[in-house]
Amino acid sequence: MIHRQHPDYIEFPDPELANDHGFLAHGGDLNINTLLSAYQQGIFPWFNDNEPILWWSPSPRMIMPTADMHISRSLRKTLRSGRFQITCGKAFDQVIDSCSQPRHPPQDFPLEEESPQTWITADMKKAYTALHRTGFAQ
C-alpha cells in the first residue's frame, strides 16, 4: 500500500520487496508528484481500467545512459539518408494516442481474454499528458 505523509512526498515500499513478477504495491493516484516519486525509485504504474492502480518494479531493470550511447557507422549512415525524421517533444499527444490504441496480443501470448489489450488507459493518458505539459515526459 502507498502512504502519503506530506502532500509532496509519496512513500513507496522498497523496490527490493517486489515479488518475482515485479509487483510492489497497489493504490494511490496518478498525480505528477506520485509519478515522479515512483519513477525516481524505479517504480511504474501498470493496471487496467476499473481496477486499483498497481505499481511495479521488476528486477533487473535496464538503464540506458544516453550520454554514453554509441551510434554505429551504419546507423549514422541511415540517419543521414533522410529516410527518417527524428524529433523530440513534437507530437506527444499523437504518439500517446497511437500507443493507447488496443492491440491484439501475439498468438502465443498466454492471456485469458482474446480482446485487444492496452495498458494506456484514459487516466494514464491524462497523467502522462500532464507530465509532458510540465516538461517531465517526452
Side-chain angles (χ1 to χ4, degrees):
M1 179 67 77
I2 297 167
H3 302 283
R4 187 179 293 272
Q5 297 176 346
H6 180 275
D8 293 335
Y9 177 75
I10 310 304
E11 182 182 339
F12 282 88
D14 183 336
E16 294 292 324
L17 298 174
N19 71 14
D20 291 343
H21 300 286
F23 175 70
L24 181 65
H26 70 280
D29 57 49
L30 296 174
N31 290 330
I32 290 172
N33 288 334
T34 305
L35 289 170
L36 292 177
S37 178
Y39 276 105
Q40 289 171 352
Q41 298 173 64
I43 302 166
F44 62 89
W46 189 15
F47 61 100
N48 296 314
D49 271 333
N50 304 316
E51 292 182 2
I53 299 171
L54 303 178
W55 298 92
W56 301 82
S57 186
S59 181
R61 296 285 304 273
M62 183 182 132
I63 298 173
M64 179 188 276
T66 56
D68 298 332
M69 193 166 120
H70 171 73
I71 298 176
S72 68
R73 220 175 319 159
S74 61
L75 178 56
R76 279 196 305 269
K77 182 179 176 182
T78 300
L79 294 174
R80 284 193 308 263
S81 74
R83 293 186 305 180
F84 302 99
Q85 180 182 11
I86 298 174
T87 62
C88 182
K90 299 278 186 185
F92 187 87
D93 294 333
Q94 293 90 333
V95 170
I96 200 163
D97 281 341
S98 180
C99 291
S100 69
Q101 296 303 308
R103 306 232 181 348
H104 288 280
Q107 292 280 350
D108 59 348
F109 195 74
L111 286 178
E112 293 179 13
E113 6 180 308
E114 292 293 322
S115 62
Q117 300 291 310
T118 181
W119 66 272
I120 304 177
T121 65
D123 289 339
M124 291 290 282
K125 281 174 62 172
K126 182 178 175 184
Y128 283 91
T129 299
L131 278 175
H132 175 68
R133 302 280 182 258
T134 57
F136 289 108
Q138 298 293 320

